[in-house]
Structures are given as C-alpha cells and as structure tokens.
Amino acid sequence: MSTAVQDALIELMVIAASSDATMSERELSRIETLVARLPVFEGFDLARLAEVANTCADKVNGSGGFEEVVEAAISAVPERLQDTAYSLTVEVIASDLHTSQEELRFLEFVRDSLRLDRLTTAAIEVAARARHRRLP
C-alpha cells in the first residue's frame, strides 16, 4: 500500500472529525484505532499519525480550504478503495454518537466526490450506525 494513499485516507478521517469545528476525543481515538488495526493501514508508521493530521490541518487552513484537500485526497485513493475511504469517514463521524448538520454536509460532499452508488453509501452508513449504537 502506498504511503500517499494511507495519508489520503487519514486526511479524510481528520477532516471528517473536524467538519463540525471540533474534534472529539472519541473521534481522535477512533482514528487511532482504525489506523492501528485495519489492513489498509498495514505498514503505516503510527508515529507519523500526528504529523499527517497536522499537515492536513495546515492544508485545510491554507488557501485552498477543505474542499481542495478533500478532492486531492480522493484523487489519491484508487477506485477499488473508494468504498473504504467513505467507510472510514462515516466511521469517524458516527463514533461520537451525534451527527451535526456540518458533518452531514461533509459526508454529502465526500459521497458526491466518490465514484460510489447510493446503495453502497447507504449500506456503509447503516452499518456504522449499527456498530456505534449503545444500550439505552
């Protein structure tokens, strides 16, 4: 797996976590867990996670803004991993058990930028909600 692809996936998760202007501890923890455990991040040096996240934040705060960073990240992700990219963004947003309007708009932007059909994205969203549901 290319480091550039792994960095792009992490950037999408970081932007997803901060899309509502705050990054919760739960979202940050979820990103760390996903990077540490998922096969798509095999070979990624976990010590680089903070560096990639900070670089992403710098890019978003730069002249192009988040749309440019998201589009660049998506273009770095091969088509066969686009469902994985969407799944990671949904997973991070679902992790704090509250989805804001800003997060929903971000997901819509990502969904529209990827080459995924609506049935696939809906299945990913339902699965993430089911994984993060808690007892009353």
Side-chain angles (χ1 to χ4, degrees):
M1 176 68 50
S2 163
T3 301
V5 174
Q6 292 171 326
D7 287 2
L9 293 171
I10 292 168
E11 288 178 355
L12 289 171
M13 289 189 291
V14 168
I15 296 169
S18 61
S19 64
D20 61 354
T22 61
M23 186 181 298
S24 73
E25 187 61 37
R26 187 172 275 165
E27 289 169 325
L28 182 58
S29 175
R30 191 67 184 143
I31 292 170
E32 291 171 351
T33 300
L34 291 168
V35 172
R37 294 186 180 164
L38 291 180
V40 74
F41 293 109
E42 191 171 284
F44 182 82
D45 180 6
L46 277 174
R48 288 191 58 243
L49 183 56
E51 173 194 335
V52 173
N54 289 331
T55 300
C56 176
D58 291 344
K59 289 181 194 177
V60 169
N61 293 325
S63 62
F66 94 93
E67 288 182 8
E68 187 175 293
V69 178
V70 170
E71 289 170 358
I74 288 172
S75 69
V77 176
E79 191 167 348
R80 69 180 186 84
L81 292 177
Q82 292 209 351
D83 56 350
T84 302
Y86 190 68
S87 178
L88 292 170
T89 60
V90 171
E91 190 70 25
V92 170
I93 287 174
S95 68
D96 68 2
L97 307 176
H98 171 74
T99 307
S100 69
Q101 284 302 115
E102 294 85 3
E103 289 171 323
L104 291 172
R105 280 192 290 277
F106 174 73
L107 282 177
E108 181 179 26
F109 179 77
V110 171
R111 183 174 54 234
D112 292 346
S113 300
L114 294 168
R115 290 178 292 276
L116 298 173
D117 62 83
R118 186 65 188 128
L119 189 57
T120 299
T121 58
I124 290 169
E125 293 163 8
V126 169
R129 279 193 304 271
R131 274 191 304 282
H132 290 280
R133 209 167 272 136
R134 297 188 186 273
L135 292 173

